[in-house]
Every structure is written in C-alpha cells, then in structure tokens.
Amino acid sequence: MRRHPRGTPHGQLRRQTGATLVVGLVLLLVLTVLGVSGMNMATLEITMASNTQFQQDAFQAAETGIDVPIAQRNFTTFESRTNEGTVGDGSYESETVFVDTTPVPDIAFSMGTSTGSVQAFHFNVRSVGTGPRNAVSTHVQSFYIVGPGGP
C-alpha cells in the first residue's frame, strides 16, 4: 500500500500533479514576452536618437555653409558664388546671390560722402546641409553690405 503525506487525501495528490509545471511555463512565457518587448523598445529608442543626431549633423553643415561665404567676404553683384565642403559627418553646398541695391541716407553714416553715394547691397545665401542617412537641412540667410554707390 502507498503512503501519503499526513492529512492529504489520495485523490488530491493526483489532481495537483503537473500544475506547478504549467504555472512555471506560463510565467516563463510572460517573462519572455516582456524581454522581447523591452529589446524592441530599446532598439527603437537607439534608432530615434541616432536619427536626431544625423539631423543635427545636417543642421550644423547647413549653418557652416552660410558661415563660410560670409567669412570669405568674396561678394559680387555680377554673378552668384557657390561653395561646397564637408564638416564632421556632413557636407554642405551653398550659393550666394546678389538681390538688390537700396540707397541709404548719408545721415546714417559718417563716411564723408555726398548724398546718394552710400548704398546697401542685399545678398542671400542658401545652404543645403546633408548628414548621414540622407538627413537634409536647408537654411537661407539674408544680409547686406553698406558701401559706396553709383553717382
């Protein structure tokens, strides 16, 4: 005759056989789903962070594309000027275009010139910066240079 632990009826032992295994497998399944979900979220967050960095690289490249022609001070009213270059992981292409001339009152400046001889030369610089993974940023900067005008 088979011995049972004290106070445990014979039928109750049979009904509990394997219940622990099923509960353990369900818990392992839940933990696996949580682990896979966490890995997917981490991968997505890394991708989002890198895309933000690539966009920032393109932004900085476009800003450099504006800064370079302004620093070079090589402007002309006859033709547009282009610049290309690389900075960090990005590259830029910029074009400086003469827009218009505006007369400036001589009272505003103490250049010792006669009336109408001071003009503001308006220029636009359009710069397109590109970063890794085809990130693109386009910036336009307008400025003017005050100088001697025509008669």
Side-chain angles (χ1 to χ4, degrees), residues 44-118:
L44 179 64
E45 287 177 3
I46 287 172
T47 303
M48 288 171 30
S50 61
N51 284 343
T52 301
Q53 181 63 47
F54 298 150
Q55 185 61 39
Q56 191 62 242
D57 289 345
F59 180 90
Q60 293 301 330
E63 286 292 308
T64 301
I66 290 174
D67 292 342
V68 167
I70 290 175
Q72 288 177 348
R73 298 180 184 173
N74 189 12
F75 311 113
T76 177
T77 57
F78 302 113
E79 61 186 14
S80 63
R81 304 277 175 144
T82 59
N83 287 307
E84 294 180 2
T86 59
V87 55
D89 290 336
S91 63
Y92 65 87
E93 183 176 325
S94 64
E95 181 181 23
T96 306
V97 178
F98 172 70
V99 178
D100 196 9
T101 305
T102 306
V104 178
D106 286 339
I107 288 179
F109 301 97
S110 59
M111 299 174 80
T113 58
S114 61
T115 304
S117 63
V118 178

